Amino acid sequence: MSRFRSAVALFFLSPLLFGCASGYPEMETVDYVDLDRFMGDWYVIANIPTFVEKDAYNAVETYRMNDDGTVDTVFNFRKGGFDGEPKRYNPKGFIRDETNALWGMRFIWPIKADYRIAYLDDDYSVTIIGRQKRDFVWLMARKPQLEAAEQERLLGIIEDFGYDMSKVQLVPQQWPEAGS
């Protein structure tokens, strides 16, 4: 019976473990990511939220390199409002290729979800993280707000990647001004 359960589990987990055809062309990643420059805090500006991220405010993703080459990830936000309950998650990133732009992100062992750095501006101030299945996406920046024209341009890139824009949500960000 144990073999049967293992076979059934493998069947249902296969799309997560090995990816699945999405009907879209391969989502390309950027040519190369300088990991030292990419590490640090990223404010989530817009996303197609996972179940964990629904109703998130002040969402910030922080990356730090571990000595073993994995990426320590801390995802902080407030649930339901700017004064909502603080939430914190710690997935681990695994660099999958020499470009440093294709990662596996592990929330639950042994599953490493597809995580692609699909856009990164030259000064490492804005990035778009996508997935081949076009089910989740994250527009992130080094600061909590973008100029309206820049935000619209980046949302257009997400649309060009093949995402359903009716699912993309802006993530509320409200931070005290520096020095106040």
Side-chain angles (χ1 to χ4, degrees):
M1 196 58 137
S2 148
R3 279 189 182 171
F4 175 74
R5 278 186 271 167
S6 295
V8 169
L10 183 59
F11 173 78
F12 285 107
L13 288 174
S14 292
L16 291 172
L17 295 171
F18 307 111
C20 56
S22 66
Y24 291 102
E26 183 73 13
M27 179 180 285
E28 299 294 323
T29 62
V30 297
D31 292 334
Y32 181 76
V33 176
D34 178 335
L35 291 173
D36 289 334
R37 291 181 68 196
F38 194 79
M39 298 296 109
D41 294 339
W42 291 94
Y43 295 89
V44 182
I45 304 299
N47 64 10
I48 295 177
T50 65
F51 73 94
V52 167
E53 299 169 282
K54 289 188 189 303
D55 210 19
Y57 287 68
N58 282 358
V60 179
E61 184 114 322
T62 303
Y63 304 111
R64 302 273 183 257
M65 286 301 300
N66 292 321
D67 291 339
D68 65 1
T70 61
V71 180
D72 180 52
T73 305
V74 177
F75 179 56
N76 288 302
F77 64 93
R78 296 225 173 227
K79 186 75 170 176
F82 294 115
D83 61 351
E85 180 184 356
K87 296 287 187 176
R88 177 185 173 111
Y89 294 91
N90 295 95
K92 184 183 269 190
F94 296 82
I95 311 299
R96 289 189 164 167
D97 72 359
E98 65 283 347
T99 70
N100 300 325
L102 183 61
W103 297 13
M105 191 62 77
R106 185 176 71 202
F107 286 87
I108 301 169
W109 185 88
I111 300 167
K112 294 177 187 164
D114 180 40
Y115 190 89
R116 298 166 186 249
I117 302 172
Y119 174 87
L120 180 61
D121 64 354
D122 292 337
D123 65 358
Y124 283 65
S125 65
V126 177
T127 190
I128 297 171
I129 308 299
R131 288 175 32 96
Q132 176 62 28
K133 290 172 55 178
R134 284 26 177 226
D135 52 353
F136 302 111
V137 68
W138 298 269
L139 166 56
M140 300 189 295
R142 297 293 189 175
K143 55 187 181 179
Q145 307 292 329
L146 294 174
E147 296 292 328
E150 176 70 352
Q151 184 171 295
E152 286 305 310
R153 183 184 74 79
L154 293 162
L155 291 171
I157 292 171
I158 291 172
E159 185 172 26
D160 290 345
F161 287 152
Y163 280 92
D164 178 350
M165 295 307 289
S166 70
K167 296 179 179 179
V168 175
Q169 301 176 3
L170 297 179
V171 176
Q173 297 282 354
Q174 182 179 335
W175 298 89
E177 294 294 323
S180 40

